[in-house]
Amino acid sequence: MHTSKNSTSLLDYQGIYPCPVCRLGKIKSLSLMEAFGCDCGKNIFTADLEKQLLKMPTMQPPLTWYWNGKCWQRGQLEGREWKWYHWLLVVGFVMLPTALVALSAYIFPATPGSNLSWLPTIWVGLAFLLHLGIVGWLIIEFYQFPFWTYLRVSWRLLLDR
Ligand SMILES: [Zn+2]
């Protein structure tokens, strides 16, 4: 066991810290283990006190956070940084199919007044929403944002109030 460094701003096994994953629970060291657990009950972390790092080993690759004395900073993950050109891919992925569908609806318009004249509009909207949904899901996966844990813990806190 590490000894307390006599300051509450350092990461040590005596302290209680906000959970970097759900951001709502608190993490504290598990008894007899050099590990932290969140009181949301789900997340277990290992710590590197020398580097003031917290690691979530159940994620692959492991997620890390750096304790700066006040809050957690997301550690750098190899190949997992969001680059500016990713936005180009996102916009392209959503806009290109939508534009193609819109273009074909424009070139081959439905007969006005026919039963299916509303179809191209719905089709364009669906293409947009579908691709937006796919991109949103990919972004959640990219950041490994624990969406369901977050929802569950917020809901529980709401009920406890
Ligand atoms: Zn948590």
Side-chain angles (χ1 to χ4, degrees):
M1 282 297 249
H2 284 253
T3 51
S4 173
K5 283 167 185 153
N6 225 5
S7 162
T8 51
S9 68
L10 279 173
L11 178 66
D12 59 38
Y13 291 115
Q14 280 75 45
I16 296 176
Y17 307 90
C19 173
V21 174
C22 62
R23 293 158 199 274
L24 295 163
K26 297 263 182 270
I27 60 169
K28 57 177 190 276
S29 70
L30 303 169
S31 49
L32 306 175
M33 282 174 73
E34 300 213 330
F36 287 91
C38 172
D39 57 12
C40 71
K42 198 179 167 195
N43 303 314
I44 304 288
F45 307 91
T46 56
D48 184 336
L49 297 186
E50 304 295 320
K51 294 179 188 157
Q52 297 284 291
L53 284 178
L54 198 67
K55 197 183 266 192
M56 193 175 184
T58 50
M59 293 282 195
Q60 222 33 256
L63 292 176
T64 55
W65 295 268
Y66 169 71
W67 180 251
N68 69 4
K70 286 197 186 93
C71 60
W72 296 106
Q73 283 175 343
R74 188 57 189 278
Q76 296 290 307
L77 272 182
E78 290 292 315
R80 275 188 176 262
E81 289 128 276
W82 190 265
K83 303 266 170 51
W84 63 268
Y85 56 78
H86 286 135
W87 288 117
L88 289 185
L89 292 177
V90 165
V91 171
F93 186 77
V94 175
M95 292 319 287
L96 203 65
T98 311
L100 282 177
V101 172
L103 192 67
S104 62
Y106 176 78
I107 294 173
F108 307 106
T111 321
S114 77
N115 283 338
L116 293 177
S117 58
W118 50 267
L119 191 63
T121 316
I122 300 291
W123 197 241
V124 171
L126 273 181
F128 178 74
L129 287 179
L130 181 70
H131 288 88
L132 196 68
I134 293 172
V135 163
W137 181 252
L138 285 177
I139 291 175
I140 288 175
E141 283 289 298
F142 182 88
Y143 280 112
Q144 308 233 336
F145 183 72
F147 187 69
W148 297 114
T149 304
Y150 184 81
L151 269 189
R152 200 164 48 85
V153 175
S154 334
W155 179 243
R156 207 191 65 190
L157 288 182
L158 206 72
L159 290 182
D160 284 351
R161 207 160 279 163

